Amino acid sequence: DSPFQEHQFQIQRLISAFKASLTPNEQILLQGYLSGWKELIKFMDALGAAFGLISRETQNKISIMEHHQRGEHGHHYRTVQSMVTFELANGLVGFQFLPEDQPPSGCRTLLRLHRALKWLELFLHKLRTSKKDGDPSQMCAEAYREALAPYHRWWVRQAVALAFLAMPSRQELYRIVSPKGEQKGQAMLLAAIGNLARVYNITQEVYASHGMLELP
Ligand code: 1PW
């Protein structure tokens, strides 16, 4: 085995992390959620330098969440639900504007990751069901238009569109997802999509029930 293996994306680790983030009574453990995202960063890094901006921005969101977890109220940041309860009860969500003198709230930061997770779910679904001549750049752009573009400023949409043009070929993507071949890759993608979707849907319900789907 290569000594660099833990730095390489492994879809199995992605699946395990998101699976482990869900408790039997449907609490979402932030630690597993963020581990899943860290694995996704490795995936983006494997896609090439064009994904640098996307990868750095995502890392930035993870760091904000970890900052909250290390803080004096860190124990409230164990699950999505406990975070929401804590920030709501203490007026920390930030329904009106972004604070300038303190880090952005956990709720608004996680919301960004949450929306991006939908993009990923759509993209992986398109990749899994694509034909041999499918174009990942296009799948990526379509998923982005559906899930994420409406929330992004103009310059972000331009920058992201550029990154998508540099997307590796379908064959190369499957090699990153599964060195053991396309069939195995499709099975892994299905498992990944299932686990992402479950976590996404529960988070969505929590946010919707508190009117928190549009935090600035
Ligand atoms: C192909 C695999 C990629 C899946 C992960 C998708 C990550 C999407 C992140 C896009 C980042 C683009 C640049 C920055 C955008 C920010 O403005 C935006 N951040 C996110 C994570 O959407 C919104 O955050 P903000 O500006 O309200 O703090």
Side-chain angles (χ1 to χ4, degrees), residues 28-167:
I28 297 167
L29 297 165
L30 281 172
Q31 194 174 345
Y33 192 96
L34 297 174
S35 308
W37 268 104
K38 286 181 191 167
E39 199 60 34
L40 278 171
I41 296 218
K42 295 185 209 163
F43 180 53
M44 293 175 219
D45 291 345
L47 298 180
F51 281 80
L53 168 77
I54 297 180
S55 156
R56 277 193 304 278
E57 156 65 11
T58 313
Q59 180 56 57
N60 183 32
K61 294 290 184 271
I62 296 172
S63 301
I64 296 172
M65 294 306 294
E66 288 179 337
H67 173 86
H68 286 297
Q69 289 183 311
R70 282 193 312 267
E72 75 175 296
H73 303 296
H75 61 284
H76 292 293
Y77 291 82
R78 205 175 85 84
T79 70
V80 170
Q81 288 89 343
S82 66
M83 171 185 80
V84 167
T85 304
F86 170 71
E87 290 195 344
L88 273 176
N90 292 279
L92 297 170
V93 173
F95 282 96
Q96 302 299 335
F97 50 85
L98 253 182
E100 276 170 33
D101 52 341
Q102 57 197 0
S105 72
C107 287
R108 74 83 68 189
T109 303
L110 188 83
L111 179 59
R112 271 60 188 177
L113 293 174
H114 171 67
R115 290 168 177 164
L117 208 56
K118 188 64 178 184
W119 172 25
L120 188 73
E121 183 193 326
L122 291 176
F123 173 63
L124 295 183
H125 172 76
K126 288 176 198 293
L127 178 64
R128 187 183 77 83
T129 53
S130 64
K131 306 237 165 62
K132 287 254 186 279
D133 63 353
D135 174 12
S137 292
Q138 217 173 325
M139 300 175 212
C140 216
E142 274 171 31
Y144 181 72
R145 264 197 304 276
E146 287 175 53
L148 212 44
Y151 303 107
H152 282 170
R153 283 159 291 166
W154 183 86
W155 75 264
V156 171
R157 294 201 300 269
Q158 310 310 308
V160 165
L162 277 182
F164 291 169
L165 292 179
M167 195 80 188

